[in-house]
Structures are given as structure tokens and as C-alpha cells.
Amino acid sequence: MSKISRNLALCISILVLIIAFATGCKKDTPKSIASVTTSEVSGSTATSTLGGGEIWNDGGDEITARGVCWASTATPTISNSKTSDGTGTGSFTSTIAGLIPGTTYYIRAYAVNSIGTAYGDQIILAMPALLPTLSTSAAELLTASTASGGGDITGDGGAPITARGICWSTSQLPTTANSTSTNGSGTGTFTSALADLIPGTTYYIRAYAVNSIGTAYGNLVTLELPALLPTLSTNIVSTSSSTTASNGGNITGDGGAAVTSRGVCWAITQDPTITGSKTSDGIGSGKFNSSISGLNPGTTYYFRAYATNSAGTAYGNEVTLAMPAQLATLSTAAVILAGTATASGGGNITLDGGSPITSRGICWSTQQSPTTSGSKSTDGSGTGPFTSSITGLIPGTTYYIKAYAVNNVGTAYGDQVILSIPALLPTLSTSMATIASTSTASGGGNITNDGGSAILSSGICWSTSQTPTISNSKTTDGAVKGLFTSTLTGLIPGTTYYIRAYASNSAGTGYGNQVILAVPALLPVISTIIASALTSTTASGGGTVLSDGGAAISARGICWSNASQTPTTADSKTSDGTGTGTFNSSMTALTPGTTYFIRAYAINSSGIAYGSVVSVSVSALLPTLSTAAAAMLTSTTASGGGNISNDGGSTITARGICWNTLQTPTTLNSKTSDGTGTGTFISSITGLTPGA
């Protein structure tokens, strides 16, 4: 309502009140409907506004309800939409809600008393249109590249929907500037088709609706298209060798997902897959090359390129390649020495080269890289491990050994192994030894086999114990095979020696047979001790056995003679034990006054040895004699005499008789002299005193 209209209404109302007052002065004023004006609206939103009114005359009756009413048609009443804004007169404010954008509304204030409902003047409110309200339906995949979607336009925003559909993109929040569908006009649900989608791609989709205000979009939905298997082809395969080939492929489409691995796979049966042999040749689409190894010669292989993405593994077309045969593949087994001239070995044929193995074994030589043109074994046919025997080996020799295998391509060899046959001890004999002197002998030996290793030294060794070795006495007589002569020195007479020839090589020292050499003993070496007389019939002597001559002293002592200056044991002798060393002897029954010649002696198995000659003179004894009975001849003379039976070891130079008137006369008393010598003699006694 305009300001002029409101002022005019106010004036009329005042006039009415004046008239009523004037009339009332005379009698009661009659009741009527209220007087109300409608306020202008303000503060509008998309679906609401603020309105109200003013009740300036209650018509003489209480206002029981007031507010505003509105409708999309003119002259709304309280039977249409309305507010309830209290009671009484005066101004009031109303909130008008639930308005529809793009709609023209007619609004009036109202007031109710007992008389009825009064309405204010009508005002018109045109709600501006909004963007449409809509939602996006879930998308559903139809094929690898198509899908269905759509939307539901629940509000046109107050303006007609002139276009609708869906829009989509691989980026979030797609708009109609991206891919779109067009699906008519108006509100409600609709269905759209999405085409030319790329497998393996995530699409973002929104429904859209266009009215005069602009374009509105529904909620965002997502559609993930599963990737397809890649598309690819296999290149023609070509051989690089009997075990390698070149191949590859071309990935013309990744199926909508990144190719994470690619290569070729192969097998000896058709339709190979990556569960078998394969190469890995990078990632991504396009052409690639593959190098294939480990193929078996003489075998037909089937090849396919492959490419893997998130959808799985796809294979290209299959191509075929027949590998040419080649020499066998084999290894040589370790060789184990079985005896001094034999060994066991063998090999393992892991691949026949694509051609049957017709012969196999090992070959050996003292030169490197042996072949079957030399020594060899023959150990059957076919692949796999085999065992061989090697014979005729020479000790001390190094052999080079290879396994071999023969197919129609030729002879293949395994790796070379080395067998060093240990040298044996030399083989030799010991020559008989002969005495050359009291302390030397000649011997030797004959080395008939060096044991497979050069002779380093040879000679003979000897000992007084059996089985002598080079740790005992030995000679060194060169380093060659054959006969050799040795001289044994430092031998001890009377000793038995055990002798063996020896020869040393890298394996050690070998010995010949044992021979025995008995060195003859020498005569003992003895000295004679100076003898001394003990009595006129005994003496002491002795000797020292300085050496037994190599044989045990079986007897020793001294021998003596007064007739020979070189007494022997045939003469008088003593026996004073055995062994070496000093001994003492006692000589008895000697003749007094006699000179004796004495030698010490010692006896061993070689004979009797004598010491130097010494002499001893035994003191003479007083003569041994008896006195003959005296006979008176006259009164002053008598006859007597004696008999000298032993001169005591000394010549009798005087003899006779002596007398005295006292006992025990001596030659100091009266005596006769009756010659010399032993025997009987007669003496004449004179000058006797009668009666004496």
C-alpha cells in the first residue's frame, strides 16, 4: 500500500471515529469488523519474507486473531496460507515462509473480532526464480565403453527447465563444458546414456538442469570402468645360437590400464603362459624386444608375447621356432683315487644338445685338454650321470681328465679336472756288504723303480738294531735310479750290523731288504802291570784290558816263565775273571832267586792278546840242608858232614860244618870249608878238647 493510500485511510478512520463518538454521546456505538492495513514485505529470502500489518480500529470489539494470509491468486483469505501473530490492535510482524521461488504471491493482513475478519489492502510479491534442485542417479556400466546414468529434478527453481541431462569427465566436478547427454526438459527423473568411455578409467558424473537462472548440478557420483586386457601381437622369433633367440612384441592397446609387465613366454607345448619360462621387458605400450636364453638345442618351442595390466595378462599370436641341435652339455665328476694305478670318475650329461647321446665316458692324458683320441673309457649312452673307471695310471703322475659325450653334432667335453696320483715309495734292493777293514765295509743297492717321483737321495743306512732307517747311520750316494755303491765307516769290530739300502722321493723314503754284516772282533788291547816280588816264592802282577776288541773278554790274567822271555798261556798263568778293566794277579810257587818274564793276557773270540813283557826277580832263600851224624875218630878229631838239598835259589859258594861247646853254633865258631854246591859233603872236625 502506498503512503498516500495509508494517509487517506487514516483520515477516513479518524472521521469515522469522530462521527461514532458524536453519535455515542447520544446512544451506544454499534460493533463492526476491524480496520487493518497491510505492511510492505522486506528481508526476503529464496522461500520466505517478512510482512505484517497494523490494526488501527478493532471495530469496537476485541481482536482475537491477526496475521497475514497469502496465495498465488489474488485476494487471499485466511483459508489460504496464513500466519498467526497474536491478538489486539497495533502493528505486528509476520514471517511468511514456504514460498516457492519464481512465484507471484498476493498478501493481505487480517484481523479477526466477533463481527468477522477484516483484511488489509493487498500487496503483490514476485519471488525470484532459483537454480533447479536435482540429484544424480548412480551410474551403471553397460559395456566396456558405455554406461547408463541420469538424474531426478525435484525443483525447477521457479523457472521452467529448458534442458537436462548428465555431464561427465575424468576430472572431478564435471560441467556441461565436458561430455554431456541431453535428455529433454522439465522436472522429474530422466535416464542418460554415456558413450565412448575408456576402459580402466574413473569417471566423475553429475546430472544437470538448466532454467532461466542458469545451470544447476546434482550430486557427484563416480563410475570406475574396469580395464580390459591389453591388445598385442608377437614378433617373428629368430635364433641367435643353439640356446638363444630374439623375439618381442607390439602392444597396440593397454586395455585402459597401465601395462605393468611385458615380454615373451615360451614352452615346448602350444599356448605358453607366464607360469612357465618368460622374459621381463619393461612396462608400457608399444614395441619391445626380448632376448631368450636357456633354450634346448634340437627342440621346437612355441612363443607368445604377453602384456599384463590390472585386468590380467593378455597374449599375442603364437609363433614357432625349431632350435638347431648342438653339442651336448655335460660336466666332469670329481675323480677319486681307487688304488695306486686306478681311479673312479665319470660325468653328468645335463643336455643332449637336441640329439641323442650315442657314446659317453671320460678321457685322460698327462697333457692338458685330453680328447677321445687318447686314453678313454666308454660308459654307455644317453643323458644323466655315469661312472667311469680309469686304469693304468702311473704313480707320481698328474692326469688331466674330461668327461665326453657324442651326438650327431660331434663330441662335447666337460670341464677339466686334475688328478695327481701320489708317488709311491721307491722300490729297491740292498746289496750284500763286505768287510773292507776293521772299521769299514762296502755295500750299496739297486733302485729298480723311483715310485713315480724323482729320487732325491739314496744310500744305505745301518744300525746295531734291526730295521735301520735314515735316522741311524747312513751314506748319501746320489739321486738316480739303478745301482749304487756305498762305503760304511765307523764300524766297531765284533759288532753285528743290520743294513738296508734307502731311496727318498717326494712320497718319502723306501728301504730295501735287510742284510746283516758281522764285523769280526779284534784281539783285545791289554797292558801288563809291573810285577813285584812278595816272597821268595810269590809275586804280584796284573794288567788292564783297554779294549775287548769287539768281543767279550772270556778270560784274563798273567802268564810267566823263567825260561822264555815271551811267556804264553801255555806257561804258568793266572785266571782273573772276564771283561775289560784292571785286574790283579798273584804268582805262586816261584823258585827263589829266579828271574821270571811276565805278560798279562786277555782272551776274546778272536784269540789271545798279550800285554808287554815285564820281569821280576824272586829273592833267593837260604839253602836247605841237613847235618850228618858226627863220629869220633880220635880224642881230638871226628868226622861229620851234611847234605844240601836246596841251594835256596842261589849258588852254594861255601859249605861245611860249624861247632861249639855251646848250643847253636854258627860260622862264627869253629867250622870247616868243604867246597861248594849242593849235595852230600863230608867234613873233618879237628881240635876237639877231650872230655868237652
Side-chain angles (χ1 to χ4, degrees):
M1 178 182 292
S2 66
K3 184 176 182 181
I4 295 173
S5 298
R6 286 198 301 273
N7 291 335
L8 180 60
L10 179 61
C11 290
I12 294 171
S13 297
I14 293 172
L15 181 59
V16 170
L17 289 173
I18 293 172
I19 295 171
F21 179 76
T23 305
C25 291
K26 297 178 180 181
K27 60 179 180 180
D28 292 335
T29 301
K31 296 179 181 179
S32 65
I33 60 172
S35 298
V36 60
T37 58
T38 304
S39 302
E40 292 289 338
V41 297
S42 64
S44 298
T45 67
T47 59
S48 66
T49 188
L50 291 177
E54 181 180 2
I55 302 171
W56 51 272
N57 185 356
D58 60 7
D61 195 12
E62 179 184 2
I63 300 300
T64 58
R66 64 183 182 180
V68 296
C69 58
W70 67 91
S72 59
T73 58
T75 316
T77 68
I78 59 174
S79 62
N80 297 117
S81 299
K82 67 178 180 178
T83 65
S84 293
D85 300 303
T87 61
T89 59
S91 298
F92 62 90
T93 301
S94 301
T95 299
I96 305 169
L99 304 180
I100 299 173
T103 302
T104 297
Y105 287 96
Y106 300 90
I107 304 170
R108 291 193 299 175
Y110 75 89
V112 179
N113 61 14
S114 61
I115 301 302
T117 301
Y119 293 95
D121 50 321
Q122 177 176 273
I123 64 173
I124 300 172
L125 175 64
M127 295 297 291
L130 299 177
L131 290 174
T133 304
L134 70 161
S135 62
T136 307
S137 303
E140 179 180 358
L141 188 66
L142 298 177
T143 68
S145 60
T146 63
S148 66
D152 182 11
I153 304 173
T154 56
D156 60 8
I161 302 298
T162 57
R164 66 184 184 179
I166 60 173
C167 56
W168 64 91
S169 173
T170 57
S171 300
Q172 293 195 29
L173 301 180
T175 67
T176 54
N178 301 117
S179 298
T180 61
S181 68
T182 302
N183 302 107
S185 60
T187 59
T189 60
F190 61 91
T191 301
S192 301
L194 294 79
D196 299 323
L197 302 178
I198 299 172
T201 304
T202 297
Y203 287 93
Y204 300 93
I205 305 169
R206 290 196 296 178
Y208 74 89
V210 181
N211 65 7
S212 60
I213 301 302
T215 302
Y217 295 95
N219 56 295
L220 183 71
V221 298
T222 303
L223 175 64
E224 293 184 1
L225 270 69
L228 300 177
L229 292 175
T231 55
L232 70 160
S233 61
T234 307
N235 295 341
I236 298 299
V237 64
S238 61
T239 58
S240 303
S241 69
S242 296
T243 59
T244 61
S246 298
N247 197 1
N250 184 17
I251 302 172
T252 55
D254 62 7
V259 173
T260 55
S261 66
R262 65 186 185 181
V264 294
C265 55
W266 65 93
I268 58 174
T269 57
Q270 292 188 356
D271 299 324
T273 67
I274 59 173
T275 59
S277 300
K278 67 176 179 178
T279 65
S280 294
D281 302 301
I283 60 176
S285 300
K287 295 180 179 180
F288 63 89
N289 295 317
S290 301
S291 295
I292 303 166
S293 60
L295 302 178
N296 292 330
T299 302
T300 296
Y301 286 93
Y302 300 90
F303 298 87
R304 291 197 296 178
Y306 75 88
T308 302
N309 65 7
S310 59
T313 300
Y315 297 93
N317 54 298
E318 184 175 84
V319 297
T320 305
L321 176 66
M323 299 299 292
Q326 66 169 13
L327 293 175
T329 301
L330 69 159
S331 60
T332 305
V335 179
I336 301 173
L337 191 65
T340 58
T342 60
S344 63
N348 184 19
I349 304 171
T350 54
L351 291 174
D352 62 7
S355 176
I357 301 299
T358 56
S359 178
R360 65 186 185 181
I362 59 174
C363 54
W364 63 91
S365 173
T366 57
Q367 303 296 318
Q368 293 201 35
S369 301
T371 67
T372 54
S373 62
S375 299
K376 68 176 181 179
S377 68
T378 302
D379 303 299
S381 59
T383 58
F386 62 89
T387 303
S388 303
S389 294
I390 308 171
T391 59
L393 303 178
I394 299 172
T397 304
T398 295
Y399 288 92
Y400 301 92
I401 303 166
K402 287 185 178 182
Y404 74 87
V406 180
N407 63 9
N408 64 4
V409 178
T411 301
Y413 295 92
D415 48 309
Q416 179 175 277
V417 298
I418 299 174
L419 175 65
S420 295
I421 307 297
L424 300 178
L425 295 177
T427 303
L428 67 160
S429 60
T430 308
S431 303
M432 294 301 298
T434 58
I435 296 294
S437 71
T438 57
S439 62
T440 62
S442 63
N446 184 15
I447 303 172
T448 56
N449 191 320
D450 62 8
S453 178
I455 299 299
L456 303 176
S457 63
S458 63
I460 59 174
C461 54
W462 64 92
S463 174
T464 56
S465 299
Q466 293 198 35
T467 317
T469 68
I470 56 175
S471 62
N472 302 119
S473 299
K474 67 176 181 178
T475 65
T476 302
D477 300 300
V480 295
K481 290 172 59 177
L483 293 167
F484 63 89
T485 301
S486 301
T487 299
L488 295 78
T489 59
L491 303 180
I492 300 173
T495 303
T496 296
Y497 288 94
Y498 300 93
I499 304 168
R500 292 197 296 175
Y502 76 87
S504 298
N505 63 7
S506 61
T509 301
Y511 295 92
N513 54 298
Q514 179 175 275
V515 298
I516 301 174
L517 175 65
V519 180
L522 299 177
L523 290 175
V525 178
I526 188 169
S527 63
T528 306
I529 297 174
I530 298 300
S532 61
L534 299 176
T535 68
S536 59
T537 59
T538 63
S540 66
T544 300
V545 182
L546 302 172
S547 170
D548 61 7
I553 301 299
S554 58
R556 64 184 183 180
I558 58 173
C559 56
W560 65 90
S561 174
N562 60 0
S564 173
Q565 292 190 12
T566 55
T568 68
T569 55
D571 297 308
S572 299
K573 66 177 180 179
T574 64
S575 294
D576 299 301
T578 61
T580 58
T582 300
F583 61 89
N584 296 313
S585 302
S586 295
M587 303 163 60
T588 60
L590 302 181
T591 300
T594 303
T595 296
Y596 288 92
F597 300 95
I598 306 166
R599 288 195 296 180
Y601 74 90
I603 302 174
N604 66 7
S605 60
S606 291
I608 303 173
Y610 294 95
S612 57
V613 177
V614 299
S615 63
V616 64
S617 294
V618 181
S619 299
L621 298 176
L622 291 174
T624 302
L625 69 162
S626 60
T627 304
M632 291 297 295
L633 296 176
T634 67
S635 58
T636 58
T637 62
S639 63
N643 182 21
I644 302 172
S645 58
N646 191 318
D647 60 10
S650 179
T651 302
I652 299 299
T653 59
R655 66 183 180 180
I657 61 172
C658 59
W659 64 91
N660 193 357
T661 58
L662 299 175
Q663 290 189 14
T664 315
T666 68
T667 57
L668 295 177
N669 300 119
S670 298
K671 65 179 180 179
T672 63
S673 295
D674 298 304
T676 61
T678 59
T680 301
F681 64 90
I682 298 174
S683 300
S684 292
I685 305 170
T686 62
L688 299 177
T689 300

